Amino acid sequence: MPSLHEETHGKIDMLMPGACIGIIGGGQLGQMMAISAKYHGFRVGVLDPTPDCPTAQVADFQITAAYDDRDAIRQLAERSDVLTYEFENVDADAIDQVRDLVSVPQGTDLLRVTQDRVHEKRFINDHGTQTAPWRQVDDLDGLDAAVREIGYPAVLKTRCGGYDGHGQDVLRTETDLQRIHRRDEGAGTFPPSILEGFVDFAFEASILVSGNGRDLVTFPMVRNDHRHNVLHITTAPAHVDPEIAREAKALALRLAKGFELAGTLAIELFITRDGRVVVNELAPRPHNSGHYTIEACSMSQFDAHIRGIVGWPLPEPRLLSPAVMVNILGQHMAPVLALIGKHPEWQLHDYGKAEVRRDRKMGHITVLTDDPARTVRELEATGCWDDLKPGAKGDTADIADTD
């Protein structure tokens, strides 16, 4: 991994309406980036392998190709004035190869750090911020040594590529450790990994920070409820001691300054029972837990991302109303749509995905409310999300979502 100071972002030249923003990745995050870009007067192109993907439905053009197709990335660069991405599993080397053709204000340092959990943890710790205890694990002997140091329970995660609990194994006892030995000895391979100790947290949270290469702004810290490794409900703002909120904001600014941030960065947190703020993961883009900002804030996370990468000034976001956001997975679409006529308070977002699949994120609902706790109870009482009640699919909620 290159030093974080080998590349210098410097001042981002302001782009004017009519310029083209190229987005690598065509899912819902790209779709909402594109909608914001269009509101601001920009043209939008997207690279995605799925024809008529969610982003393409609101973009000016689509290049239909794999994310790692370097010829396709070059085509997108040639037709764009600035490149961005909606997820972190992007070919950083391919982006570096087109930086003579197009502005890449986010650079690739942030991408490389967040693509590798070991690099990510080192970066966070090196910037004076606490994480769960962790050890780099390169083989089964290294796993045994890491377990002896960290103890049980712990989570074994692949260094690269995992999401929504994929590529993760919870180790609670020696039996779990031996299961990993049998599996990987049989396969004859051990993927580069990281072992993380459990954090005794009171709840999970996240905070968004956005930059334009010069200035930084933060959004309110929110509380997140995960079910079966996927974000279920976000409550904004998180009701915490003011000192905890100040620490979350301070660490967000520290980490963003380390990247000379352009665009939006999401920081997933654990708030411990003794009042500490521990960083779980970073996401170099807008985040599922920030969807509430579309209705509830003076500027959405997507507006901040677009303004940041085109070099526009960033006003400090204001929370206009407390809000609750709930994800709609594939199995929730039918019951939600059956009730939509009875709930005028539901702000429905349908991502326009062609195939409805169980556990696939298909949309979300945001509710502006003066009483978030009551609103959460009312949403749960509809029965639309009964399959996510504790115990419905087994207790796996102690691994955090990555999207």
Side-chain angles (χ1 to χ4, degrees):
M1 184 186 71
S3 163
L4 284 178
H5 299 291
E6 285 183 13
E7 68 174 33
T8 301
H9 303 300
K11 183 177 184 297
I12 300 171
D13 293 331
M14 284 181 59
L15 293 180
M16 291 292 106
C20 183
I21 297 172
I23 303 174
I24 302 173
Q28 64 267 22
L29 297 177
Q31 181 188 68
M32 288 180 271
M33 285 183 197
I35 291 170
S36 176
K38 298 300 287 183
Y39 278 144
H40 285 80
F42 294 100
R43 292 176 56 79
V44 176
V46 59
L47 169 63
D48 194 273
T50 303
D52 195 36
C53 61
T55 306
Q57 294 167 25
V58 295
D60 294 283
F61 66 90
Q62 176 179 3
I63 296 173
T64 306
Y67 302 125
D68 59 355
D69 185 325
R70 297 198 174 190
D71 289 337
I73 290 175
R74 177 164 288 270
Q75 290 178 43
L76 182 64
E78 289 172 343
R79 298 179 66 178
S80 303
D81 296 288
V82 61
L83 280 189
T84 187
Y85 42 82
E86 69 139 16
F87 64 103
E88 46 269 51
N89 293 324
V90 175
D91 188 338
D93 290 338
I95 293 178
D96 280 337
Q97 289 181 5
V98 298
R99 290 174 73 168
D100 60 329
L101 301 174
V102 66
S103 173
V104 187
Q106 292 164 277
T108 51
D109 282 344
L110 174 59
L111 198 55
R112 286 187 167 91
V113 167
T114 54
Q115 285 175 339
D116 186 311
R117 288 188 169 95
V118 169
H119 294 160
E120 183 177 77
K121 289 291 191 292
R122 284 178 179 154
F123 177 86
I124 295 167
N125 294 156
D126 288 348
H127 284 76
T129 303
Q130 186 176 0
T131 60
W134 63 274
R135 296 294 182 273
Q136 179 176 333
V137 178
D138 298 319
D139 51 35
L140 288 171
D141 288 341
L143 174 60
D144 293 341
V147 169
R148 285 195 296 270
E149 290 186 53
I150 290 177
Y152 297 110
V155 186
L156 180 66
K157 302 179 181 180
T158 55
R159 284 181 61 166
C160 303
Y163 68 96
D164 286 358
H166 297 282
Q168 302 185 18
D169 290 282
V170 177
L171 307 182
R172 299 182 186 276
T173 67
E174 184 74 15
T175 301
D176 294 322
L177 178 61
Q178 293 309 311
R179 173 176 51 81
I180 301 299
H181 271 267
R182 289 192 299 272
R183 182 190 69 189
D184 292 342
E185 286 170 354
T189 182
F190 186 89
S193 301
I194 183 173
L195 187 75
E196 298 179 18
F198 269 30
V199 175
D200 183 22
F201 61 87
F203 63 91
E204 296 175 73
S206 58
I207 188 168
L208 302 168
V209 55
S210 300
N212 59 11
R214 304 176 303 277
D215 306 314
L216 298 169
V217 298
T218 59
F219 289 82
M221 186 174 73
V222 299
R223 178 170 180 146
N224 298 321
D225 177 16
H226 292 84
R227 303 284 175 85
H228 316 305
N229 308 329
V230 178
L231 180 62
H232 173 42
I233 283 180
T234 292
T235 303
H239 291 289
V240 295
D241 185 283
E243 184 55 37
I244 292 176
R246 284 192 290 270
E247 171 57 20
K249 179 173 181 175
L251 71 83
L253 294 174
R254 282 199 305 273
L255 296 175
K257 287 176 183 175
F259 288 118
E260 297 179 15
L261 181 67
T264 293
L265 169 70
I267 304 170
E268 298 179 29
L269 307 168
F270 295 126
I271 309 303
T272 67
R273 299 185 192 281
D274 58 358
R276 292 176 295 116
V277 182
V278 176
V279 172
N280 179 28
E281 292 185 343
L282 308 178
R285 48 163 173 78
H287 191 262
N288 193 173
S289 67
H291 292 346
Y292 78 95
T293 61
I294 296 172
E295 285 88 13
C297 291
S298 57
M299 173 177 65
S300 79
Q301 63 168 340
F302 302 100
D303 294 337
H305 183 78
I306 295 300
R307 292 177 70 98
I309 64 172
V310 302
W312 286 19
L314 290 170
E316 193 71 33
R318 290 185 295 117
L319 183 67
L320 304 178
S321 169
V324 174
M325 188 283 303
V326 58
N327 272 326
I328 304 172
L329 304 182
Q331 63 269 32
H332 308 143
M333 282 297 293
V336 163
L337 294 179
L339 291 178
I340 199 69
K342 299 180 180 179
H343 291 279
E345 75 279 10
W346 287 4
Q347 303 281 344
L348 174 69
H349 295 251
D350 186 324
Y351 303 148
K353 295 182 179 180
E355 182 183 0
V356 178
R357 295 199 306 267
R358 183 178 183 85
D359 293 336
R360 189 184 195 191
K361 293 174 183 173
M362 302 301 299
H364 71 268
I365 289 169
T366 299
V367 180
L368 304 183
T369 176
D370 293 327
D371 189 341
R374 183 192 67 212
T375 297
V376 169
R377 292 193 298 270
E378 290 172 348
L379 286 165
E380 299 285 21
T382 65
C384 294
W385 294 273
D386 278 356
D387 66 301
L388 298 184
K389 288 181 177 179
K393 289 173 58 180
D395 182 11
T396 57
D398 43 20
I399 304 174
D401 184 22
T402 58
D403 178 16

mmCIF file of all heavy atoms in Angstrom, residues 195-238:
data_model
loop_
_atom_site.group_PDB
_atom_site.id
_atom_site.type_symbol
_atom_site.label_atom_id
_atom_site.label_comp_id
_atom_site.label_asym_id
_atom_site.label_seq_id
_atom_site.Cartn_x
_atom_site.Cartn_y
_atom_site.Cartn_z
ATOM 1 N N LEU A 195 -8.308 -11.104 12.689
ATOM 2 C CA LEU A 195 -9.122 -11.548 13.813
ATOM 3 C C LEU A 195 -9.405 -10.350 14.696
ATOM 4 O O LEU A 195 -8.484 -9.628 15.098
ATOM 5 C CB LEU A 195 -8.408 -12.628 14.623
ATOM 6 C CG LEU A 195 -9.275 -13.264 15.728
ATOM 7 C CD1 LEU A 195 -10.298 -14.215 15.115
ATOM 8 C CD2 LEU A 195 -8.412 -14.007 16.752
ATOM 9 N N GLU A 196 -10.682 -10.128 14.987
ATOM 10 C CA GLU A 196 -11.092 -9.000 15.818
ATOM 11 C C GLU A 196 -11.783 -9.521 17.077
ATOM 12 O O GLU A 196 -12.633 -10.413 17.005
ATOM 13 C CB GLU A 196 -12.059 -8.081 15.075
ATOM 14 C CG GLU A 196 -11.479 -7.435 13.833
ATOM 15 C CD GLU A 196 -12.489 -6.548 13.131
ATOM 16 O OE1 GLU A 196 -13.497 -6.172 13.766
ATOM 17 O OE2 GLU A 196 -12.281 -6.239 11.945
ATOM 18 N N GLY A 197 -11.429 -8.939 18.205
ATOM 19 C CA GLY A 197 -12.132 -9.250 19.432
ATOM 20 C C GLY A 197 -13.493 -8.585 19.464
ATOM 21 O O GLY A 197 -13.728 -7.574 18.797
ATOM 22 N N PHE A 198 -14.407 -9.161 20.226
ATOM 23 C CA PHE A 198 -15.722 -8.563 20.394
ATOM 24 C C PHE A 198 -15.619 -7.286 21.230
ATOM 25 O O PHE A 198 -14.768 -7.169 22.110
ATOM 26 C CB PHE A 198 -16.671 -9.539 21.083
ATOM 27 C CG PHE A 198 -17.447 -10.413 20.141
ATOM 28 C CD1 PHE A 198 -16.927 -10.783 18.909
ATOM 29 C CD2 PHE A 198 -18.699 -10.882 20.486
ATOM 30 C CE1 PHE A 198 -17.646 -11.596 18.046
ATOM 31 C CE2 PHE A 198 -19.424 -11.705 19.640
ATOM 32 C CZ PHE A 198 -18.895 -12.070 18.410
ATOM 33 N N VAL A 199 -16.507 -6.362 20.952
ATOM 34 C CA VAL A 199 -16.634 -5.136 21.734
ATOM 35 C C VAL A 199 -17.931 -5.216 22.529
ATOM 36 O O VAL A 199 -18.991 -5.512 21.965
ATOM 37 C CB VAL A 199 -16.649 -3.892 20.821
ATOM 38 C CG1 VAL A 199 -16.911 -2.630 21.635
ATOM 39 C CG2 VAL A 199 -15.338 -3.783 20.052
ATOM 40 N N ASP A 200 -17.856 -4.963 23.828
ATOM 41 C CA ASP A 200 -19.052 -4.975 24.669
ATOM 42 C C ASP A 200 -19.770 -3.643 24.486
ATOM 43 O O ASP A 200 -19.619 -2.706 25.259
ATOM 44 C CB ASP A 200 -18.656 -5.175 26.135
ATOM 45 C CG ASP A 200 -19.874 -5.277 27.049
ATOM 46 O OD1 ASP A 200 -20.970 -5.615 26.546
ATOM 47 O OD2 ASP A 200 -19.724 -5.005 28.249
ATOM 48 N N PHE A 201 -20.566 -3.565 23.397
ATOM 49 C CA PHE A 201 -21.174 -2.278 23.051
ATOM 50 C C PHE A 201 -22.614 -2.184 23.537
ATOM 51 O O PHE A 201 -23.341 -3.177 23.612
ATOM 52 C CB PHE A 201 -21.096 -2.017 21.549
ATOM 53 C CG PHE A 201 -21.808 -3.018 20.677
ATOM 54 C CD1 PHE A 201 -23.155 -2.873 20.363
ATOM 55 C CD2 PHE A 201 -21.119 -4.098 20.128
ATOM 56 C CE1 PHE A 201 -23.807 -3.770 19.553
ATOM 57 C CE2 PHE A 201 -21.763 -5.015 19.304
ATOM 58 C CZ PHE A 201 -23.110 -4.850 19.016
ATOM 59 N N ALA A 202 -23.003 -0.950 23.850
ATOM 60 C CA ALA A 202 -24.392 -0.685 24.215
ATOM 61 C C ALA A 202 -25.261 -0.607 22.965
ATOM 62 O O ALA A 202 -26.396 -1.083 22.957
ATOM 63 C CB ALA A 202 -24.482 0.617 25.009
ATOM 64 N N PHE A 203 -24.711 -0.009 21.912
ATOM 65 C CA PHE A 203 -25.413 0.045 20.626
ATOM 66 C C PHE A 203 -24.427 0.407 19.533
ATOM 67 O O PHE A 203 -23.307 0.863 19.796
ATOM 68 C CB PHE A 203 -26.593 1.027 20.654
ATOM 69 C CG PHE A 203 -26.211 2.467 20.887
ATOM 70 C CD1 PHE A 203 -25.952 3.325 19.827
ATOM 71 C CD2 PHE A 203 -26.128 2.973 22.173
ATOM 72 C CE1 PHE A 203 -25.606 4.652 20.044
ATOM 73 C CE2 PHE A 203 -25.797 4.309 22.408
ATOM 74 C CZ PHE A 203 -25.529 5.140 21.337
ATOM 75 N N GLU A 204 -24.859 0.192 18.292
ATOM 76 C CA GLU A 204 -24.064 0.558 17.130
ATOM 77 C C GLU A 204 -24.525 1.919 16.616
ATOM 78 O O GLU A 204 -25.688 2.298 16.753
ATOM 79 C CB GLU A 204 -24.205 -0.496 16.037
ATOM 80 C CG GLU A 204 -23.656 -1.849 16.447
ATOM 81 C CD GLU A 204 -23.918 -2.914 15.403
ATOM 82 O OE1 GLU A 204 -23.259 -2.869 14.349
ATOM 83 O OE2 GLU A 204 -24.778 -3.771 15.645
ATOM 84 N N ALA A 205 -23.600 2.636 16.010
ATOM 85 C CA ALA A 205 -23.881 3.982 15.535
ATOM 86 C C ALA A 205 -23.053 4.240 14.292
ATOM 87 O O ALA A 205 -22.237 3.417 13.871
ATOM 88 C CB ALA A 205 -23.558 5.013 16.626
ATOM 89 N N SER A 206 -23.264 5.387 13.682
ATOM 90 C CA SER A 206 -22.421 5.810 12.572
ATOM 91 C C SER A 206 -22.474 7.326 12.475
ATOM 92 O O SER A 206 -23.388 7.981 12.994
ATOM 93 C CB SER A 206 -22.864 5.170 11.252
ATOM 94 O OG SER A 206 -24.205 5.476 10.949
ATOM 95 N N ILE A 207 -21.459 7.863 11.802
ATOM 96 C CA ILE A 207 -21.404 9.296 11.554
ATOM 97 C C ILE A 207 -20.845 9.508 10.160
ATOM 98 O O ILE A 207 -19.973 8.756 9.708
ATOM 99 C CB ILE A 207 -20.555 10.022 12.625
ATOM 100 C CG1 ILE A 207 -20.676 11.544 12.456
ATOM 101 C CG2 ILE A 207 -19.110 9.551 12.626
ATOM 102 C CD1 ILE A 207 -20.118 12.328 13.631
ATOM 103 N N LEU A 208 -21.367 10.501 9.466
ATOM 104 C CA LEU A 208 -20.932 10.847 8.118
ATOM 105 C C LEU A 208 -20.122 12.129 8.163
ATOM 106 O O LEU A 208 -20.474 13.072 8.887
ATOM 107 C CB LEU A 208 -22.125 11.065 7.195
ATOM 108 C CG LEU A 208 -23.109 9.907 7.023
ATOM 109 C CD1 LEU A 208 -24.373 10.407 6.329
ATOM 110 C CD2 LEU A 208 -22.485 8.776 6.228
ATOM 111 N N VAL A 209 -19.054 12.170 7.379
ATOM 112 C CA VAL A 209 -18.263 13.383 7.221
ATOM 113 C C VAL A 209 -18.047 13.585 5.729
ATOM 114 O O VAL A 209 -17.832 12.624 4.990
ATOM 115 C CB VAL A 209 -16.923 13.297 7.999
ATOM 116 C CG1 VAL A 209 -16.118 12.077 7.602
ATOM 117 C CG2 VAL A 209 -16.108 14.569 7.825
ATOM 118 N N SER A 210 -18.142 14.822 5.277
ATOM 119 C CA SER A 210 -17.973 15.138 3.854
ATOM 120 C C SER A 210 -16.961 16.258 3.702
ATOM 121 O O SER A 210 -16.856 17.143 4.559
ATOM 122 C CB SER A 210 -19.307 15.554 3.221
ATOM 123 O OG SER A 210 -20.262 14.519 3.328
ATOM 124 N N GLY A 211 -16.213 16.211 2.587
ATOM 125 C CA GLY A 211 -15.213 17.231 2.330
ATOM 126 C C GLY A 211 -15.156 17.596 0.866
ATOM 127 O O GLY A 211 -15.677 16.886 0.002
ATOM 128 N N ASN A 212 -14.508 18.724 0.589
ATOM 129 C CA ASN A 212 -14.299 19.154 -0.797
ATOM 130 C C ASN A 212 -12.810 19.333 -1.104
ATOM 131 O O ASN A 212 -12.438 20.072 -2.012
ATOM 132 C CB ASN A 212 -15.067 20.446 -1.089
ATOM 133 C CG ASN A 212 -14.658 21.584 -0.177
ATOM 134 O OD1 ASN A 212 -13.660 21.497 0.557
ATOM 135 N ND2 ASN A 212 -15.412 22.673 -0.194
ATOM 136 N N GLY A 213 -11.962 18.645 -0.341
ATOM 137 C CA GLY A 213 -10.523 18.779 -0.502
ATOM 138 C C GLY A 213 -9.927 19.883 0.341
ATOM 139 O O GLY A 213 -8.708 19.953 0.496
ATOM 140 N N ARG A 214 -10.799 20.749 0.903
ATOM 141 C CA ARG A 214 -10.333 21.853 1.750
ATOM 142 C C ARG A 214 -11.088 21.856 3.078
ATOM 143 O O ARG A 214 -10.485 21.843 4.144
ATOM 144 C CB ARG A 214 -10.554 23.205 1.044
ATOM 145 C CG ARG A 214 -9.922 23.333 -0.306
ATOM 146 C CD ARG A 214 -10.270 24.656 -0.987
ATOM 147 N NE ARG A 214 -11.711 24.871 -1.123
ATOM 148 C CZ ARG A 214 -12.447 24.358 -2.114
ATOM 149 N NH1 ARG A 214 -11.876 23.572 -3.025
ATOM 150 N NH2 ARG A 214 -13.738 24.608 -2.210
ATOM 151 N N ASP A 215 -12.408 21.884 2.991
ATOM 152 C CA ASP A 215 -13.258 22.044 4.166
ATOM 153 C C ASP A 215 -13.987 20.732 4.462
ATOM 154 O O ASP A 215 -14.252 19.929 3.554
ATOM 155 C CB ASP A 215 -14.277 23.158 3.937
ATOM 156 C CG ASP A 215 -13.605 24.463 3.516
ATOM 157 O OD1 ASP A 215 -12.599 24.826 4.150
ATOM 158 O OD2 ASP A 215 -14.082 25.083 2.549
ATOM 159 N N LEU A 216 -14.331 20.551 5.737
ATOM 160 C CA LEU A 216 -15.027 19.350 6.176
ATOM 161 C C LEU A 216 -16.284 19.722 6.946
ATOM 162 O O LEU A 216 -16.289 20.701 7.702
ATOM 163 C CB LEU A 216 -14.126 18.499 7.073
ATOM 164 C CG LEU A 216 -12.841 17.955 6.447
ATOM 165 C CD1 LEU A 216 -11.944 17.369 7.529
ATOM 166 C CD2 LEU A 216 -13.156 16.892 5.396
ATOM 167 N N VAL A 217 -17.337 18.916 6.767
ATOM 168 C CA VAL A 217 -18.566 19.076 7.544
ATOM 169 C C VAL A 217 -19.011 17.693 8.003
ATOM 170 O O VAL A 217 -18.682 16.677 7.376
ATOM 171 C CB VAL A 217 -19.694 19.752 6.732
ATOM 172 C CG1 VAL A 217 -19.296 21.155 6.317
ATOM 173 C CG2 VAL A 217 -20.074 18.921 5.507
ATOM 174 N N THR A 218 -19.757 17.652 9.089
ATOM 175 C CA THR A 218 -20.254 16.377 9.605
ATOM 176 C C THR A 218 -21.775 16.402 9.715
ATOM 177 O O THR A 218 -22.396 17.467 9.864
ATOM 178 C CB THR A 218 -19.669 16.058 10.990
ATOM 179 O OG1 THR A 218 -20.021 17.102 11.904
ATOM 180 C CG2 THR A 218 -18.155 15.919 10.925
ATOM 181 N N PHE A 219 -22.369 15.216 9.654
ATOM 182 C CA PHE A 219 -23.788 15.024 9.892
ATOM 183 C C PHE A 219 -23.973 14.493 11.316
ATOM 184 O O PHE A 219 -23.016 14.038 11.942
ATOM 185 C CB PHE A 219 -24.355 14.015 8.883
ATOM 186 C CG PHE A 219 -24.454 14.538 7.476
ATOM 187 C CD1 PHE A 219 -23.340 14.547 6.644
ATOM 188 C CD2 PHE A 219 -25.658 15.019 6.981
ATOM 189 C CE1 PHE A 219 -23.420 15.020 5.344
ATOM 190 C CE2 PHE A 219 -25.757 15.506 5.680
ATOM 191 C CZ PHE A 219 -24.633 15.507 4.857
ATOM 192 N N PRO A 220 -25.183 14.533 11.843
ATOM 193 C CA PRO A 220 -25.399 14.035 13.208
ATOM 194 C C PRO A 220 -25.068 12.542 13.334
ATOM 195 O O PRO A 220 -25.246 11.771 12.382
ATOM 196 C CB PRO A 220 -26.897 14.280 13.445
ATOM 197 C CG PRO A 220 -27.288 15.313 12.454
ATOM 198 C CD PRO A 220 -26.413 15.106 11.263
ATOM 199 N N MET A 221 -24.596 12.151 14.488
ATOM 200 C CA MET A 221 -24.411 10.727 14.763
ATOM 201 C C MET A 221 -25.777 10.064 14.887
ATOM 202 O O MET A 221 -26.703 10.632 15.483
ATOM 203 C CB MET A 221 -23.610 10.529 16.043
ATOM 204 C CG MET A 221 -23.260 9.075 16.309
ATOM 205 S SD MET A 221 -22.181 8.843 17.732
ATOM 206 C CE MET A 221 -23.310 9.160 19.064
ATOM 207 N N VAL A 222 -25.909 8.859 14.314
ATOM 208 C CA VAL A 222 -27.182 8.142 14.337
ATOM 209 C C VAL A 222 -26.997 6.785 14.998
ATOM 210 O O VAL A 222 -25.884 6.260 15.092
ATOM 211 C CB VAL A 222 -27.747 7.952 12.911
ATOM 212 C CG1 VAL A 222 -28.009 9.303 12.267
ATOM 213 C CG2 VAL A 222 -26.799 7.105 12.047
ATOM 214 N N ARG A 223 -28.097 6.235 15.442
ATOM 215 C CA ARG A 223 -28.110 4.901 16.062
ATOM 216 C C ARG A 223 -28.585 3.881 15.039
ATOM 217 O O ARG A 223 -29.570 4.124 14.327
ATOM 218 C CB ARG A 223 -29.035 4.891 17.280
ATOM 219 C CG ARG A 223 -29.130 3.524 17.955
ATOM 220 C CD ARG A 223 -29.855 3.612 19.267
ATOM 221 N NE ARG A 223 -29.954 2.302 19.915
ATOM 222 C CZ ARG A 223 -29.925 2.118 21.219
ATOM 223 N NH1 ARG A 223 -29.800 3.158 22.032
ATOM 224 N NH2 ARG A 223 -30.022 0.901 21.731
ATOM 225 N N ASN A 224 -27.892 2.729 14.961
ATOM 226 C CA ASN A 224 -28.211 1.701 13.974
ATOM 227 C C ASN A 224 -28.572 0.382 14.657
ATOM 228 O O ASN A 224 -27.907 -0.032 15.608
ATOM 229 C CB ASN A 224 -27.015 1.461 13.039
ATOM 230 C CG ASN A 224 -26.665 2.701 12.246
ATOM 231 O OD1 ASN A 224 -27.545 3.434 11.799
ATOM 232 N ND2 ASN A 224 -25.383 2.942 12.054
ATOM 233 N N ASP A 225 -29.591 -0.268 14.129
ATOM 234 C CA ASP A 225 -30.024 -1.584 14.614
ATOM 235 C C ASP A 225 -29.855 -2.574 13.474
ATOM 236 O O ASP A 225 -30.512 -2.456 12.428
ATOM 237 C CB ASP A 225 -31.484 -1.514 15.051
ATOM 238 C CG ASP A 225 -32.024 -2.867 15.504
ATOM 239 O OD1 ASP A 225 -31.213 -3.770 15.765
ATOM 240 O OD2 ASP A 225 -33.259 -3.010 15.583
ATOM 241 N N HIS A 226 -28.932 -3.528 13.632
ATOM 242 C CA HIS A 226 -28.689 -4.544 12.617
ATOM 243 C C HIS A 226 -29.448 -5.824 12.945
ATOM 244 O O HIS A 226 -29.567 -6.200 14.107
ATOM 245 C CB HIS A 226 -27.195 -4.859 12.507
ATOM 246 C CG HIS A 226 -26.370 -3.734 11.958
ATOM 247 N ND1 HIS A 226 -25.906 -2.703 12.743
ATOM 248 C CD2 HIS A 226 -25.937 -3.492 10.707
ATOM 249 C CE1 HIS A 226 -25.211 -1.867 11.989
ATOM 250 N NE2 HIS A 226 -25.218 -2.315 10.757
ATOM 251 N N ARG A 227 -29.928 -6.474 11.908
ATOM 252 C CA ARG A 227 -30.543 -7.786 12.055
ATOM 253 C C ARG A 227 -29.926 -8.728 11.021
ATOM 254 O O ARG A 227 -29.946 -8.426 9.817
ATOM 255 C CB ARG A 227 -32.066 -7.713 11.822
ATOM 256 C CG ARG A 227 -32.786 -6.721 12.746
ATOM 257 C CD ARG A 227 -32.974 -7.236 14.161
ATOM 258 N NE ARG A 227 -33.552 -6.199 15.006
ATOM 259 C CZ ARG A 227 -34.855 -5.955 15.116
ATOM 260 N NH1 ARG A 227 -35.717 -6.675 14.412
ATOM 261 N NH2 ARG A 227 -35.290 -4.997 15.918
ATOM 262 N N HIS A 228 -29.354 -9.837 11.496
ATOM 263 C CA HIS A 228 -28.773 -10.846 10.611
ATOM 264 C C HIS A 228 -27.730 -10.227 9.685
ATOM 265 O O HIS A 228 -27.705 -10.500 8.482
ATOM 266 C CB HIS A 228 -29.862 -11.559 9.813
ATOM 267 C CG HIS A 228 -31.054 -11.928 10.646
ATOM 268 N ND1 HIS A 228 -30.941 -12.693 11.797
ATOM 269 C CD2 HIS A 228 -32.365 -11.602 10.531
ATOM 270 C CE1 HIS A 228 -32.155 -12.839 12.331
ATOM 271 N NE2 HIS A 228 -33.018 -12.178 11.600
ATOM 272 N N ASN A 229 -26.886 -9.373 10.261
ATOM 273 C CA ASN A 229 -25.736 -8.769 9.589
ATOM 274 C C ASN A 229 -26.078 -7.621 8.640
ATOM 275 O O ASN A 229 -25.190 -7.088 7.979
ATOM 276 C CB ASN A 229 -24.925 -9.803 8.800
ATOM 277 C CG ASN A 229 -24.538 -10.997 9.640
ATOM 278 O OD1 ASN A 229 -24.335 -10.875 10.846
ATOM 279 N ND2 ASN A 229 -24.446 -12.157 9.009
ATOM 280 N N VAL A 230 -27.332 -7.250 8.531
ATOM 281 C CA VAL A 230 -27.742 -6.186 7.609
ATOM 282 C C VAL A 230 -28.424 -5.082 8.406
ATOM 283 O O VAL A 230 -29.210 -5.351 9.321
ATOM 284 C CB VAL A 230 -28.706 -6.737 6.531
ATOM 285 C CG1 VAL A 230 -29.167 -5.622 5.596
ATOM 286 C CG2 VAL A 230 -28.022 -7.840 5.721
ATOM 287 N N LEU A 231 -28.146 -3.836 8.039
ATOM 288 C CA LEU A 231 -28.793 -2.720 8.719
ATOM 289 C C LEU A 231 -30.310 -2.817 8.554
ATOM 290 O O LEU A 231 -30.819 -2.983 7.448
ATOM 291 C CB LEU A 231 -28.293 -1.399 8.132
ATOM 292 C CG LEU A 231 -28.895 -0.129 8.742
ATOM 293 C CD1 LEU A 231 -28.559 -0.011 10.225
ATOM 294 C CD2 LEU A 231 -28.410 1.104 7.991
ATOM 295 N N HIS A 232 -31.011 -2.697 9.663
ATOM 296 C CA HIS A 232 -32.479 -2.752 9.644
ATOM 297 C C HIS A 232 -33.059 -1.355 9.832
ATOM 298 O O HIS A 232 -33.769 -0.858 8.957
ATOM 299 C CB HIS A 232 -32.966 -3.694 10.748
ATOM 300 C CG HIS A 232 -34.440 -3.730 10.947
ATOM 301 N ND1 HIS A 232 -35.334 -3.758 9.892
ATOM 302 C CD2 HIS A 232 -35.200 -3.737 12.090
ATOM 303 C CE1 HIS A 232 -36.575 -3.784 10.370
ATOM 304 N NE2 HIS A 232 -36.513 -3.767 11.689
ATOM 305 N N ILE A 233 -32.745 -0.705 10.956
ATOM 306 C CA ILE A 233 -33.328 0.600 11.272
ATOM 307 C C ILE A 233 -32.228 1.565 11.710
ATOM 308 O O ILE A 233 -31.322 1.201 12.462
ATOM 309 C CB ILE A 233 -34.395 0.471 12.379
ATOM 310 C CG1 ILE A 233 -35.696 -0.103 11.812
ATOM 311 C CG2 ILE A 233 -34.673 1.814 13.049
ATOM 312 C CD1 ILE A 233 -36.804 -0.271 12.835
ATOM 313 N N THR A 234 -32.333 2.785 11.222
ATOM 314 C CA THR A 234 -31.491 3.889 11.688
ATOM 315 C C THR A 234 -32.382 4.936 12.341
ATOM 316 O O THR A 234 -33.420 5.310 11.775
ATOM 317 C CB THR A 234 -30.711 4.526 10.528
ATOM 318 O OG1 THR A 234 -29.740 3.592 10.051
ATOM 319 C CG2 THR A 234 -30.006 5.800 10.960
ATOM 320 N N THR A 235 -31.971 5.394 13.512
ATOM 321 C CA THR A 235 -32.686 6.461 14.229
ATOM 322 C C THR A 235 -31.794 7.682 14.298
ATOM 323 O O THR A 235 -30.641 7.602 14.753
ATOM 324 C CB THR A 235 -33.055 6.004 15.645
ATOM 325 O OG1 THR A 235 -33.842 4.813 15.580
ATOM 326 C CG2 THR A 235 -33.846 7.090 16.364
ATOM 327 N N ALA A 236 -32.311 8.809 13.843
ATOM 328 C CA ALA A 236 -31.544 10.058 13.814
ATOM 329 C C ALA A 236 -32.275 11.143 14.596
ATOM 330 O O ALA A 236 -33.466 11.350 14.388
ATOM 331 C CB ALA A 236 -31.343 10.515 12.368
ATOM 332 N N PRO A 237 -31.550 11.817 15.501
ATOM 333 C CA PRO A 237 -30.159 11.572 15.885
ATOM 334 C C PRO A 237 -30.083 10.486 16.954
ATOM 335 O O PRO A 237 -31.097 10.112 17.544
ATOM 336 C CB PRO A 237 -29.728 12.912 16.456
ATOM 337 C CG PRO A 237 -30.988 13.437 17.108
ATOM 338 C CD PRO A 237 -32.120 12.994 16.204
ATOM 339 N N ALA A 238 -28.859 9.998 17.211
ATOM 340 C CA ALA A 238 -28.655 9.089 18.340
ATOM 341 C C ALA A 238 -28.739 9.898 19.624
ATOM 342 O O ALA A 238 -28.145 10.972 19.729
ATOM 343 C CB ALA A 238 -27.288 8.419 18.231
#
